[in-house]
Amino acid sequence: MPCRYSPASPALSPVCLRFSAILGCALVLALPGAFLSNPVHAQTPAKPAAPVGVAPKEELRVFDPSLIDTSVNACEDFYQFSCKGWFKRNPLPPDQTSYGRFNELFELNRLHLRHILEAVSTPSATRSPNEQKIGDEYATCMDVATIDQKGLTPLQPELNRIATLKNRSELPTLLAHLHSIGVNAFFGMDAMQDFADSTTVISGYAADGLGLPERDYYTRTDAKSVEQRQQYVAHVAKMFQLAGETSTQAARDAQTVLAIETTLAKASLTVTEQRDPQNLNHPTDVAAFDKDLSHFSLITYAKAVHAPTSGKINDTEPKFFAAFNTLLADTPLDQIKTYLRWHLMHAFAGTSLPQTFDHETWNFYAHILNGAEQEQDRWKRCTSRVDRELGEALGQVYVAHYFPPAEKQRTLEMTLAIEQAMDKDIDALDWMSSTTKARAKEKLHGVMNKIGYPDKWRDYSTLTIVRGDTLGNQVRADEFEHARDLAKIGKPVDKGEWGMTPPTVNAYYDGQQNNVNFPAGYLQPPFFSGKEDDAANFGDMGSTIGHELTHGFDDEGRQFDATGNLKDWWTKDDELKFTERADCMVKQFDAIESVPGVHLNGKLTLGENLADLGGLWLAWIAWLDKAHEAHLDLTSKAYGYTPEQRFWIAYAQQWCTQTRPESLRTAAQVDPHSPDEWRTNAILQDLPEFAKSFNCKAPQKMVAAKPCRVW
């Protein structure tokens, strides 16, 4: 079940959050990344000159001594020691809710993509079919005058569909259409691998349909949460007013939306509950599910959406769908229409509707919820939109320009070294039995490494992009992706498919396919460079590779076997020992206050914390092995630091980030990743090898009294 990015919201949709652990644990969540899709035109254009204002990527360093502030004691706050110089030279931009090293590279990549798109946005007979698509989509998105002039006219046919809904028996067909064009109303349905048989693709039905980031926004009773709900209602009302309603009617309709979404939220799993795949594994069949939904014909819906009308499916949240069924019976049809109108506008209110809708959406989601002070430039959002909708068409051009084959080979070599380190680490574990070790090694040796870009590019020949039709382009792109996704049901799993586009600055592990994925956009400075030494590269990108690999063995990933089936391969004693060690990290991060009054959720962030700690440890032992093979003098210094110290500094410097308090608050409630400060300090506190490198001693803050450790 692919994650769908909502263009109207800076966060991933609830369906994406719900399935992120199953389909792939990403290194970061905040950066825009698309789950798009196979062959584009094979032409390799000449590499263009760098866009004006684009610094050569070599200016970004993996280990950068100029970012270090020696006035900070490394043994008291290693994050500030490693990053304070970066903070001084990089004030938080007004259009960002957070800004760090990932954003540095993301913005550089986005400038490169802008250069590509502007070069092909002028109509020309020499453009390839994919150049036409990406160029026309970008130019159309940038034409705000035409978008404003058309107003809501392009959306009117969809509004009419909702308005003419006569009774509940017509709802399944209407909802099938809305889902196909990217409207996340009531629930979500996509293709997903069967938990019991990872070679099989079935239909998966999931809770969805919320406008706030996650379910607890509707239930928390603290003053800030109450205020945010009031602000949300005001936002929804303003959107209805922009669509032509009176202020009185808009206020009433906004309350209707809140009431329906609150009912759905209360029946949904919490973000912590969603992290356990066992909570999402409820196999049934279409007939039985249809019988349970006495007020909604699932068979009619499946037929209309072109999904199987019989056979096995997964009802991921039975409690939610029971509540959905009751909701349909108890809610007047006009209120259901109101809810659907809101989610229709919400789905298209980014770059496809007039600027009044666009700005109002930014004001609530980016400014109020996450603290952004300024809306991002239009070209940035249009570039991200093309990457989202035509990611592999754009990505193939990007790879040809900016990702030489040597970079792919270097990454592969490092990945293999990290995997060899994990093999040794499993042997060295004193808490795991030989039986479970054998199973762990079986899974490790079955990991598939995917680096840079797909071996087979996605075919967009059936997707029509019309110059001047912004909203229509979004509709057709969503329909294309939805149809492509559902076509996978009943067919063999394509393990070569990617869940991120090539320019994405991120990485992920797919638990059901047992593979690690590192897009080309990430494999460059400030995270990886052929011009820097192994200490820096292993401390930074090596820890990322180890991070993704460790996800296969974290509290979620360990529940899947070597073939990706949800299957228990642990002895009971080893499972208890794992849980005891993992609970140490839960308590460690529960104690961290992200912003005053808001603590991190140790269970929510457990998988990422385990991956951070395990990944860094794997990178360390892999680098040490390589250093010893090369007879590296570990006492020698460069820039005043030994190789060991440069390893740890490079790890810390990848996390240098400025974040607004509002964004930290949101992240603490919904993000499975800990804040970057603690992805540095808390993780390093658990590694005595770090303390030894900097001669840190208890009770200094960078030395944990009782270090946590699993892998």
Side-chain angles (χ1 to χ4, degrees):
M1 186 173 292
C3 295
R4 295 191 170 216
Y5 176 86
S6 170
S9 171
L12 295 176
S13 75
V15 171
C16 181
L17 290 172
R18 195 165 267 101
F19 283 90
S20 64
I22 300 166
L23 295 175
C25 301
L27 184 71
V28 293
L29 193 61
L31 293 178
F35 288 77
L36 304 166
S37 329
N38 265 297
V40 302
H41 190 70
Q43 174 184 359
T44 302
K47 183 175 180 178
V52 175
V54 177
K57 65 181 182 181
E58 288 76 18
E59 290 188 5
L60 297 175
R61 298 281 305 277
V62 181
F63 166 80
D64 192 339
S66 71
L67 306 184
I68 298 170
D69 189 334
T70 56
S71 69
V72 179
N73 187 332
C75 295
E76 292 293 334
D77 190 337
F78 196 70
Y79 185 62
Q80 289 292 327
F81 168 81
S82 301
C83 293
K84 195 170 182 180
W86 187 89
F87 298 147
K88 291 176 180 177
R89 97 174 46 157
N90 291 279
L92 185 54
D95 67 343
Q96 303 281 351
T97 59
S98 67
Y99 189 82
R101 309 306 304 281
F102 285 86
N103 303 82
E104 277 188 305
L105 181 53
F106 175 75
E107 294 297 342
L108 177 60
N109 281 347
R110 189 151 59 176
L111 278 169
H112 291 323
L113 296 180
R114 178 190 189 184
H115 185 61
I116 291 169
L117 290 168
E118 289 181 346
V120 297
S121 63
T122 302
S124 167
T126 62
R127 292 189 301 175
S128 70
N130 277 312
E131 288 172 340
Q132 174 267 315
K133 286 180 170 67
I134 63 176
D136 286 355
E137 176 66 316
Y138 178 76
T140 301
C141 179
M142 290 294 293
D143 187 3
V144 292
T146 297
I147 294 170
D148 285 346
Q149 184 270 324
K150 289 182 177 181
L152 280 185
T153 300
L155 193 63
Q156 197 59 49
E158 303 301 337
L159 290 167
N160 292 342
R161 286 179 189 266
I162 296 172
T164 56
L165 182 69
K166 298 182 181 65
N167 51 62
R168 288 171 182 77
S169 66
E170 296 179 344
L171 182 60
T173 301
L174 173 60
L175 210 53
H177 170 73
L178 292 175
H179 288 171
S180 74
I181 63 173
V183 180
N184 297 320
F186 286 122
F187 65 88
M189 193 282 290
D190 291 277
M192 69 173 294
Q193 287 174 253
D194 187 347
F195 282 126
D197 179 6
S198 63
T199 66
T200 302
V201 180
I202 61 174
S203 303
Y205 290 78
D208 203 352
L210 306 182
L212 286 167
E214 56 91 25
R215 58 98 69 193
D216 286 349
Y217 274 76
Y218 296 87
T219 60
R220 281 189 289 264
T221 58
D222 62 280
K224 185 63 177 179
S225 296
V226 171
E227 180 188 21
Q228 288 177 330
R229 282 195 294 275
Q230 293 170 344
Q231 292 168 322
Y232 176 59
V233 169
H235 163 62
V236 176
K238 182 62 179 294
M239 294 285 280
F240 278 127
Q241 284 184 267
L242 291 174
E245 291 189 4
T246 65
S247 59
T248 301
Q249 183 63 41
R252 185 160 48 243
D253 285 348
Q255 289 294 341
T256 294
V257 169
L258 181 67
I260 291 175
E261 291 184 356
T262 299
T263 299
L264 296 175
K266 288 180 177 179
S268 302
L269 294 176
T270 66
V271 289
T272 303
E273 291 169 336
Q274 293 165 21
R275 293 195 62 256
D276 187 347
Q278 299 289 352
N279 290 336
L280 303 173
N281 184 27
H282 304 285
T284 183
D285 58 58
V286 174
F289 197 16
D290 181 67
K291 185 178 180 179
D292 290 339
L293 296 176
S294 55
H295 300 289
F296 184 85
S297 174
L298 190 77
I299 292 176
T300 300
Y301 170 86
K303 183 177 180 180
V305 84
H306 305 296
T309 56
S310 63
K312 184 177 182 179
I313 62 172
N314 187 17
D315 168 13
T316 62
E317 295 192 35
K319 178 183 174 183
F320 172 87
F321 282 99
F324 165 65
N325 187 55
T326 301
L327 176 69
L328 293 185
D330 296 344
T331 307
L333 190 63
D334 282 347
Q335 292 186 12
I336 291 175
K337 291 181 183 181
T338 296
Y339 168 83
L340 294 177
R341 285 202 315 276
W342 152 243
H343 277 278
L344 175 68
M345 290 189 294
H346 178 62
F348 291 93
T351 53
S352 290
L353 290 183
Q355 292 180 85
T356 50
F357 290 86
D358 188 7
H359 183 72
E360 172 57 31
T361 298
W362 169 86
N363 182 61
F364 177 71
Y365 287 100
H367 175 58
I368 292 176
L369 285 188
N370 289 294
E373 297 176 355
Q374 178 179 308
E375 194 166 7
Q376 287 191 350
D377 290 342
R378 183 80 180 188
W379 72 264
K380 292 184 177 182
R381 293 182 292 129
C382 289
T383 299
S384 293
R385 171 172 170 166
V386 178
D387 184 38
R388 186 166 62 245
E389 295 178 347
L390 292 143
E392 290 192 16
L394 178 58
Q396 189 176 16
V397 183
Y398 172 85
V399 166
H401 285 53
Y402 300 110
F403 190 65
E407 299 290 327
K408 183 170 184 174
Q409 182 59 33
R410 277 195 289 267
T411 306
L412 177 60
E413 291 171 358
M414 181 179 287
T415 303
L416 294 175
I418 300 293
E419 290 171 350
Q420 291 169 5
M422 176 167 256
D423 190 284
K424 289 177 56 178
D425 188 50
I426 291 172
D427 282 334
L429 294 175
D430 60 4
W431 59 269
M432 182 180 283
S433 69
S434 58
T435 300
T436 305
K437 284 183 179 181
R439 296 286 186 174
K441 284 198 172 191
E442 180 185 354
K443 181 169 185 176
L444 171 63
H445 297 158
V447 171
M448 178 182 177
N449 302 315
K450 292 161 63 179
I451 297 170
Y453 50 87
D455 293 329
K456 180 182 179 182
W457 294 98
R458 193 160 297 174
D459 180 5
Y460 293 96
S461 60
T462 60
L463 172 59
T464 301
I465 297 296
V466 178
R467 197 177 185 95
D469 186 13
T470 310
L471 189 141
N473 288 341
Q474 183 179 336
V475 167
R476 288 184 290 274
D478 275 319
E479 288 177 323
F480 169 85
E481 176 57 24
H482 193 58
R484 189 194 68 81
D485 177 61
L486 296 192
K488 294 185 289 187
I489 298 173
K491 295 180 181 178
V493 173
D494 178 9
K495 291 190 175 182
E497 182 181 11
W498 279 66
M500 288 180 176
T501 66
T504 302
V505 185
N506 212 334
Y508 69 100
Y509 169 80
D510 189 318
Q512 286 191 278
Q513 295 189 18
N514 195 24
N515 57 39
V516 290
N517 305 259
F518 305 102
Y522 188 22
L523 303 174
Q524 53 185 315
F527 304 112
F528 183 65
S529 172
K531 295 185 177 181
E532 299 202 39
D533 67 1
D534 286 335
N537 281 325
F538 273 81
D540 194 328
M541 184 54 67
S543 67
T544 295
I545 295 170
H547 173 105
E548 301 307 337
L549 192 61
T550 304
H551 269 311
F553 305 87
D554 67 16
D555 62 313
E556 296 172 90
R558 73 171 192 83
Q559 298 185 56
F560 294 89
D561 66 12
T563 60
N565 293 324
L566 187 59
K567 184 177 181 181
D568 188 2
W569 48 272
W570 292 65
T571 68
K572 291 299 180 183
D573 187 52
D574 288 340
E575 184 176 359
L576 287 173
K577 290 177 179 177
F578 175 93
T579 301
E580 288 174 0
R581 285 160 174 75
D583 283 346
C584 176
M585 295 204 80
V586 172
K587 295 173 182 176
Q588 179 184 14
F589 281 84
D590 274 346
I592 295 172
E593 199 170 35
S594 181
V595 293
V598 179
H599 282 253
L600 297 182
N601 182 338
K603 289 186 177 180
L604 174 62
T605 59
L606 178 59
E608 297 300 328
N609 297 334
L610 289 172
D612 281 343
L613 180 57
L616 183 55
W617 170 247
L618 292 179
W620 171 257
I621 59 178
W623 170 70
L624 276 184
D625 284 347
K626 192 169 184 181
H628 291 149
E629 289 174 6
H631 303 290
L632 180 67
D633 181 3
L634 297 181
T635 64
S636 64
K637 290 187 176 183
Y639 308 103
Y641 299 95
T642 67
E644 289 186 3
Q645 292 172 331
R646 295 199 302 276
F647 174 94
W648 303 116
I649 293 170
Y651 171 75
Q653 288 185 340
Q654 70 178 307
W655 301 118
C656 300
T657 306
Q658 305 263 37
T659 307
R660 299 186 190 281
E662 298 91 340
S663 185
L664 284 172
R665 179 185 180 88
T666 299
Q669 295 164 340
V670 305
D671 194 343
H673 305 82
S674 299
D676 293 336
E677 174 183 0
W678 300 107
R679 296 185 78 168
T680 303
N681 284 352
I683 296 303
L684 291 174
Q685 288 167 9
D686 288 332
L687 291 169
E689 294 77 9
F690 159 77
K692 183 179 178 181
S693 297
F694 282 89
N695 197 31
C696 300
K697 306 288 184 182
Q700 289 178 304
K701 293 180 180 178
M702 290 305 302
V703 182
K706 294 181 179 180
C708 299
R709 187 67 167 274
V710 180
W711 297 102

